[in-house]
Amino acid sequence: MSTTDLERPLRADAARNRELILQTARKCFAERGLSVTLNDIAHEAGVGVGTVYRRFADKDSLIEALLATKFEAMNEAAARAADEVDPREALRVYLMGVFEFRARDRALADAIVRAGKARPSIVQERDRLETQVSAIIERAETAGVVRAGFDYRDLPMLTSMVGAVADSTRAHDPNAWRRYAEVLIEGVLPGGTDAPMLGTPLDRESIERALHAQN
């Protein structure tokens, strides 16, 4: 048996371990934020800590690997939204999409902040996303269906608002954020619908638990 033949299973195992680590890290960061350690990820993945460090030198390199997949997903969402014929609907679809990304992923905002210091390919993906979303907003402006002055740079703060609701209400009602996301969207795209608000208000006990979770 050749040396090449002996090496093939090791390369396959290494690839599987890397994918397992990435999937586990994505889940842990999304649920608990970037405070998760590589030891936590190794334990959750059922592999040795040494296996994690062989694939990723440190947590920053692991986060950077995940950043690429996050921006790819958001760019795909922006492309789908841009395919909408109606400019107002295109922007609404993108806004709800990015809010949903954040509702599922506690680490999204922190990860995007890191993008500016990431490798050039990730910075390029971030810039591509900004270009796509700016074009969606410009279409809405030309059609007169978006509030004057709304800008791509407003999105991080709006997303943070929705994220705060999602994080504090996830245990009581994992879809509560949608109600308040819709309020923000209608504030950006006024006068477009007479539809009732999504979902129902949280009950008093759930509100108290949610507010307590923020303190």
Side-chain angles (χ1 to χ4, degrees):
M1 182 178 292
S2 69
T3 301
T4 301
D5 290 334
L6 287 170
E7 288 174 349
R8 280 174 183 161
L10 293 176
R11 289 202 297 268
D13 287 347
R16 283 195 296 270
N17 281 338
R18 186 178 190 279
E19 184 59 28
L20 173 61
I21 292 164
L22 283 171
Q23 290 178 357
T24 304
R26 186 180 298 114
K27 176 176 180 291
C28 289
F29 288 147
E31 292 176 351
R32 290 181 267 167
L34 295 184
S35 61
V36 174
T37 67
L38 292 186
N39 285 8
D40 295 332
I41 292 167
H43 177 75
E44 188 78 16
V47 300
V49 176
T51 299
V52 177
Y53 278 100
R54 279 194 294 274
R55 304 279 74 81
F56 302 98
D58 52 32
K59 189 164 75 171
D60 283 344
S61 64
L62 175 55
I63 291 170
E64 187 165 282
L66 290 174
L67 261 178
T69 64
K70 291 180 191 293
F71 277 107
E72 180 181 352
M74 287 190 290
N75 269 306
E76 289 175 357
R80 287 194 300 271
D83 285 340
E84 294 287 341
V85 175
D86 177 38
R88 185 183 192 280
E89 184 64 9
L91 184 51
R92 191 198 69 78
V93 166
Y94 181 73
L95 289 174
M96 187 59 83
V98 76
F99 291 159
E100 185 164 8
F101 274 126
R102 173 56 187 86
R104 294 198 310 260
D105 187 348
R106 286 177 182 264
L108 181 63
D110 289 338
I112 289 175
V113 167
R114 291 169 177 258
K117 298 180 180 179
R119 63 179 183 264
S121 61
I122 293 176
V123 173
Q124 185 177 5
E125 283 298 293
R126 181 202 62 186
D127 292 346
R128 184 163 75 94
L129 177 64
E130 181 172 348
T131 298
Q132 285 203 88
V133 178
S134 293
I136 292 172
I137 294 172
E138 286 170 10
R139 277 182 64 203
E141 288 175 341
T142 300
V145 295
V146 65
R147 189 178 294 275
F150 182 68
D151 188 273
Y152 173 85
R153 291 166 295 182
D154 291 314
L155 288 177
M157 293 298 100
L158 295 180
T159 304
S160 294
M161 293 178 196
V162 173
V165 174
D167 292 347
S168 61
T169 60
R170 187 173 287 110
H172 331 304
D173 182 352
N175 288 309
W177 65 269
R178 293 182 182 275
R179 180 177 176 86
Y180 305 101
E182 190 73 25
V183 171
L184 291 179
I185 290 172
E186 293 305 320
V188 170
L189 302 168
T193 181
D194 294 325
M197 289 180 65
L198 295 176
T200 57
L202 295 171
D203 59 35
R204 185 185 301 277
E205 182 180 358
S206 294
I207 290 172
E208 290 174 356
R209 287 178 180 173
L211 294 177
H212 177 72
Q214 294 178 3
N215 297 322

